Amino acid sequence: VWLVILKDFKAIPDEWSEAARETAEDFSVGYRAMTRWRSGPVFLEPALKGFNYAMTLDTDSYFPADIADPFKFMHAQGLIAGFPHLGRESASVVVNLLHYFLLYCKIKGLHPRRSRMLASLVESNFKWYQQCLMLDIEILSLDWFRGERYQDFFKFMDSTGGFWLHRWGNNPIRTFAVALLLEDSDVRSLDMPYAHQDYCSCGPESPPCKRATPSGHFSCTEAVTSVGGHINFSIAAA
């Protein structure tokens, strides 16, 4: 419903309109508009103005066991972002993204491997193997994402046309922004029971998820909710 009422939601800038529509058979204009919106403009929506934190959950995401309040964990630890789920993006939808990220670093005088999280993401030879934060679930402190530093990064990446031309997703945009602009102490993995499509985790050192039928929902017999360690994309690449 939200996407339907947003003004100019699917308005493609003139300079990319023809090329974007030519490739729309792979990913619709509406889908590209959604990933762009979730990458930056969503944080400036008036509906979120009165909130300090927000959690994203895809419509096919769920908790296979009871969880403790993740907002309390975030607040108590002074965290800006928490992510329970790491994965990979398809190479076909990140065309030129790393190149523009490296250009942004050069313009801003930032080292492209400046944090522990970023060093696990970008190799020493400046290659990237599409590891990213999976945003089917995320818990964020909204003030920082509304702020100038994050929005400046989004605007630069948006100015390249990558969302419209190559279907860049919010997963890698959020990943690179958080890894580059935040300190490692601001971001944590969140250990919690969580399921999305064929992925499920009951948390570290907990028994594996169970499924009554091949297409049924997952469940956990034991589960833990806690703040995990620093995010390490070297593990996701293994």
Side-chain angles (χ1 to χ4, degrees):
V1 175
W2 202 345
L3 304 184
V4 172
I5 64 175
L6 289 174
K7 183 180 180 181
D8 300 326
F9 176 64
K10 295 195 289 185
I12 305 173
D14 292 341
E15 60 265 38
W16 303 309
S17 179
E18 183 176 352
R21 294 186 187 281
E22 285 177 358
T23 58
E25 61 184 47
D26 298 318
F27 292 96
S28 70
V29 170
Y31 190 89
R32 297 171 192 226
M34 179 274 295
T35 61
R36 176 188 175 274
W37 179 74
R38 283 191 60 189
S39 295
V42 61
F43 300 113
L44 305 180
E45 290 293 332
L48 294 179
K49 189 175 181 179
F51 294 91
N52 296 322
Y53 295 91
M55 175 192 286
T56 296
L57 277 178
D58 275 13
T59 55
D60 52 357
S61 296
Y62 58 97
F63 302 113
D66 292 338
I67 65 169
D69 188 337
F71 299 110
K72 288 184 177 180
F73 280 103
M74 295 281 293
H75 184 71
Q77 297 285 331
L79 298 176
I80 293 175
F83 303 94
H85 187 193
L86 307 184
R88 286 182 185 273
E89 190 71 284
S90 171
S92 64
V93 296
V94 293
V95 175
N96 294 333
L97 193 150
L98 179 64
H99 301 301
Y100 283 116
F101 167 76
L102 294 174
L103 178 59
Y104 183 84
C105 291
K106 184 72 173 179
I107 291 170
K108 298 295 182 178
L110 298 170
H111 195 285
R113 303 184 77 237
R114 61 166 293 274
S115 66
R116 181 191 300 186
M117 181 178 171
L118 197 51
S120 74
L121 185 66
V122 179
E123 301 291 324
S124 57
N125 59 359
F126 301 112
K127 288 186 177 181
W128 168 51
Y129 295 101
Q130 294 91 246
Q131 312 99 301
C132 60
L133 304 164
M134 302 304 288
L135 304 188
D136 39 84
I137 180 171
E138 58 178 340
I139 302 96
L140 307 176
S141 176
L142 293 174
D143 281 347
W144 187 82
F145 289 92
R146 296 180 185 117
E148 182 177 350
R149 295 190 75 200
Y150 181 85
Q151 291 295 322
D152 180 74
F153 179 81
F154 164 74
K155 289 173 183 176
F156 175 83
M157 299 300 280
D158 188 33
S159 72
T160 69
F163 293 104
W164 302 112
L165 299 176
H166 306 303
R167 210 292 274 163
W168 287 356
N170 46 308
N171 292 353
I173 294 295
R174 187 94 78 254
T175 298
F176 277 105
V178 164
L180 178 66
L181 302 175
L182 288 176
E183 300 303 321
D184 290 311
S185 57
D186 296 324
V187 189
R188 284 288 190 277
S189 62
L190 292 180
D191 299 328
M192 59 195 301
Y194 173 69
H196 176 249
Q197 298 177 359
D198 289 328
Y199 170 84
C200 181
S201 172
C202 295
E205 302 180 9
S206 295
C209 302
K210 293 184 177 181
R211 220 174 192 175
T213 65
S215 60
H217 277 189
F218 290 104
S219 63
C220 297
T221 55
E222 298 178 24
V224 174
T225 304
S226 64
V227 174
H230 294 287
I231 291 174
N232 185 350
F233 287 102
S234 300
I235 298 173

